[in-house]
Amino acid sequence: MHRAQHRLHSDVVLESRGLVNMRMKRPLLLLLLLLHLVLESQALRYNNYYYQDLSPDGNGNGEIYFSGVRLHVESPQTLVSAVQGGNVTLPCVYRYEPEVSAPRRTRVKWFWQPSTGETKELHVIVAFGSRHRSYGDFKGRVRLRRSTPGDASLVINPLLSDDTGRYRCEIIDGLEDESVTVELQFRGIVFPYYSPMGRYHFNFQEAKEACEQQGACLATFEQLFAAWDEEKLDWCNAGWLADGTAQYPVSVPRDACGGTDLAPGVRSYGIRHKTTDRFDAFCFTSSIRGEVYFLQHQLKLNFSEAVKECAQDGAQIAKVGQLYAAWRFVGLDQCDAGWVADGSVRYPITKPRANCGPPEPGVRSFGFLPQHLKYGVYCHKVRW
Ligand SMILES: *[C@@H]1O[C@H](CO)[C@@H](O)[C@H](O)[C@H]1NC(C)=O
Ligand SMILES: *[C@@H]1O[C@H](CO)[C@@H](O)[C@H](O)[C@H]1NC(C)=O
């Protein structure tokens, strides 16, 4: 019975492929067609993942049977972090089970749901064989990695400011489609920031603006926590966070910093009054767009000369956030103190060594200095 059913089914499918057996009578054909539909709907109902494949059964008698081949789609990494201006690969691989020997005509589609609260999915890329088409702002910035036959990973290069969100990789083979989603978030760096006017000078709005002027934004609690947890950020002055709280991270408890009775951690003053309370700020940046470099110049420069020399070089004096991002994500290492845009003097060290500050990597700061003093300068040049 089992076998007979398969044979009937095969005949009908063959018919639909144009290999119709002309000797069949019409009523019989109709009956077979009905049977086919019943079987088909059952197959769909019982195993959504399967599609039916016709192939010779391999024993040489040319008999045809159908077998369930399952299409698997997976992503080894469902949360991916990257920096703006860098490139990113969102993994997505598919395979057939059992393996199929002949290459199949598989369509790959990537969709994007922005993290800005958009509910609609937008097209990113559609690929079929070696042809592909990209859409909207993704035009010219996306491709499939295709490092192995089942590799449908999406490469975005460069990554722009608003590319974060939920990406969905959909693999389509005939009537079957399977998808996985990959979340893209920005990896960034948190840095403490205080006013040229001194410590604890910013109300909430001023703190927000100060971070923005340095190419950054106010950090969230999660970002500050991650900086404390992963980067051992230790800073003894409370700073505003995006949620309106004031907090500070302590890795090494000490008397001057809340005492030694408390465990290491992020200490919170809780929600503060946004206009009357004053603190420093914790800023977050995730952008390496453009290039930060130490300007080679024969003479040391005062602040206004420094601004001018960067402009002469087709650039701008670097913002604090840009210097931090270049240090953290590009490995900028320069043992020369230089002016930056807010009138502070700093230098980035990734490989600590003698005469270049403390034994830990970091962006060293001399703070805000009188602007007639002479130093080097860090510039930022936009590349796109
Ligand atoms: C992509 O980024 C990596 C580092 O994250 C870099 O080594 C590589 O050169 C970049 N590729 C392109 C094509 O820009
Ligand atoms: C920097 O030096 C220039 C002369 O090269 C001078 O005109 C300018 O006033 C100086 N700026 C400061 C802030 O001292």
Side-chain angles (χ1 to χ4, degrees):
M1 178 55 203
H2 192 66
R3 186 106 197 145
Q5 266 189 4
H6 284 191
R7 285 200 63 100
L8 291 176
H9 188 215
S10 303
D11 288 341
V12 177
V13 174
L14 280 176
E15 187 242 348
S16 71
R17 290 184 174 186
L19 299 171
V20 64
N21 182 343
M22 297 306 282
R23 283 166 301 179
M24 269 190 192
K25 298 281 189 293
R26 262 184 176 281
L28 181 59
L29 253 178
L30 268 175
L31 184 70
L32 287 176
L33 198 62
L34 268 173
L35 233 153
H36 167 64
L37 288 175
V38 168
L39 285 172
E40 184 100 316
S41 65
Q42 274 181 353
L44 282 178
R45 177 140 31 94
Y46 290 129
N47 44 23
N48 291 325
Y49 296 109
Y50 288 69
Y51 69 90
Q52 266 114 48
D53 197 35
L54 286 167
S55 49
D57 70 356
N59 63 10
N61 64 8
E63 244 181 5
I64 287 172
Y65 67 102
F66 68 89
S67 56
V69 174
R70 186 170 174 176
L71 173 62
H72 278 279
V73 182
E74 57 197 26
S75 177
Q77 202 186 348
T78 53
L79 178 64
V80 174
S81 305
V83 286
Q84 290 172 50
N87 63 64
V88 71
T89 302
L90 305 180
C92 173
V93 288
Y94 64 91
R95 63 191 153 81
Y96 293 95
E97 226 170 59
E99 241 173 77
V100 292
S101 45
R104 298 193 55 90
R105 304 277 286 164
T106 313
R107 196 177 288 271
V108 178
K109 289 186 181 181
W110 276 92
F111 299 92
W112 175 52
Q113 194 179 333
S115 55
T116 49
E118 194 100 18
T119 50
K120 225 178 74 199
E121 278 191 325
L122 307 172
H123 276 87
V124 176
I125 192 170
V126 174
F128 190 56
S130 60
R131 289 173 300 152
H132 71 264
R133 166 186 289 192
S134 50
Y135 295 84
D137 285 346
F138 290 105
K139 251 180 213 154
R141 289 198 294 134
V142 288
R143 63 182 176 85
L144 297 189
R145 183 170 59 179
R146 296 285 197 206
S147 62
T148 56
D151 185 8
S153 303
L154 179 71
V155 178
I156 310 178
N157 186 18
L159 200 58
L160 298 184
S161 56
D162 51 3
D163 286 343
T164 58
R166 200 178 164 84
Y167 286 77
R168 187 163 67 86
C169 168
E170 184 179 64
I171 309 295
I172 304 156
D173 182 319
L175 293 175
E176 284 309 314
D177 64 86
E178 277 289 287
S179 57
V180 287
T181 56
V182 182
E183 191 83 24
L184 174 64
Q185 67 177 22
F186 283 141
R187 193 154 55 96
I189 175 156
V190 171
F191 60 94
Y193 193 73
Y194 61 91
S195 167
M197 319 279 286
R199 294 294 176 135
Y200 282 10
H201 194 83
F202 297 135
N203 66 24
F204 179 77
Q205 187 60 28
E206 290 162 351
K208 188 166 174 286
E209 284 164 12
C211 287
E212 282 161 9
Q213 279 160 16
Q214 296 318 310
C217 58
L218 271 182
T220 64
F221 171 73
E222 287 73 20
Q223 289 161 349
L224 181 65
F225 184 85
W228 169 80
D229 188 35
E230 292 159 21
E231 320 247 331
K232 304 282 166 269
L233 183 64
D234 187 294
W235 194 256
C236 214
N237 293 87
W240 287 106
L241 297 182
D243 61 2
T245 60
Q247 316 205 22
Y248 63 99
V250 175
S251 297
V252 186
R254 51 197 185 275
D255 282 333
C257 204
T260 50
D261 297 342
L262 291 170
V266 175
R267 307 207 172 139
S268 179
Y269 289 168
I271 300 268
R272 307 306 299 194
H273 194 284
K274 284 191 174 168
T275 47
T276 59
D277 283 338
R278 290 182 179 273
F279 297 98
D280 294 344
F282 285 103
C283 306
F284 173 84
T285 179
S286 169
S287 180
I288 55 164
R289 291 181 77 177
E291 182 198 0
V292 174
Y293 59 98
F294 183 76
L295 186 73
Q296 297 302 327
H297 198 273
Q298 297 97 322
L299 303 170
K300 302 243 189 226
L301 310 161
N302 68 27
F303 182 68
S304 44
E305 291 165 336
V307 170
K308 212 182 293 170
E309 288 302 323
C310 283
Q312 289 269 321
D313 206 39
Q316 279 191 312
I317 188 166
K319 295 172 177 173
V320 178
Q322 292 165 340
L323 186 62
Y324 267 98
W327 163 72
R328 178 68 180 76
F329 299 118
V330 187
L332 188 65
D333 182 288
Q334 186 86 37
C335 199
D336 294 284
W339 289 107
V340 288
D342 64 347
S344 59
V345 171
R346 304 178 189 242
Y347 64 98
I349 295 295
T350 46
K351 298 181 274 301
R353 52 200 180 272
N355 303 319
C356 298
E360 306 84 34
V363 174
R364 325 293 195 205
S365 177
F366 292 102
F368 300 96
L369 297 180
Q371 300 199 337
H372 65 272
L373 295 182
K374 302 230 168 191
Y375 288 99
V377 61
Y378 288 91
C379 308
H380 176 257
K381 196 176 276 187
V382 182
R383 276 180 291 144
W384 56 76

